[in-house]
Amino acid sequence: MEKALLKHNLFEQLKAANCFWSYADVDENTVSDDMLIEKTLIHLDLPDIKALFDLYGTKRIKEVWLHQMVPQGDYLYSLNRFIAWYYFGIKQPRTYLKQQESRQLHKRIV
């Protein structure tokens, strides 16, 4: 499927799921790729996340996940453990998440 169409479909599904309720005048041209990645990982299902990987690739998605979602700690802990294990093949997601959370928070402080 064409990348523009994949992105459009993901945006429409997020919009239908009311993921942008707090944003005024949002459309697919104003939503950043990082926000689309984060919202898809949080709110959509496995087939949609597969489309996300087809669109952006593992490296880009992992980068956004590490910078945007992992530092949220307990709020997204169960989801982050699943993502670490299922999508990134991390053998010990608990340990990995704690290390990454500390690293990301330290980067923001320094």
Side-chain angles (χ1 to χ4, degrees), residues 55-68:
L55 184 59
Y56 292 104
T58 302
K59 183 179 178 183
R60 177 68 191 279
I61 293 170
K62 188 172 184 180
E63 179 182 290
V64 171
W65 174 68
L66 284 171
H67 290 89
Q68 302 296 111

Side-chain angles (χ1 to χ4, degrees), residues 18-24:
N18 251 353
C19 294
F20 302 112
W21 65 269
S22 64
Y23 298 86

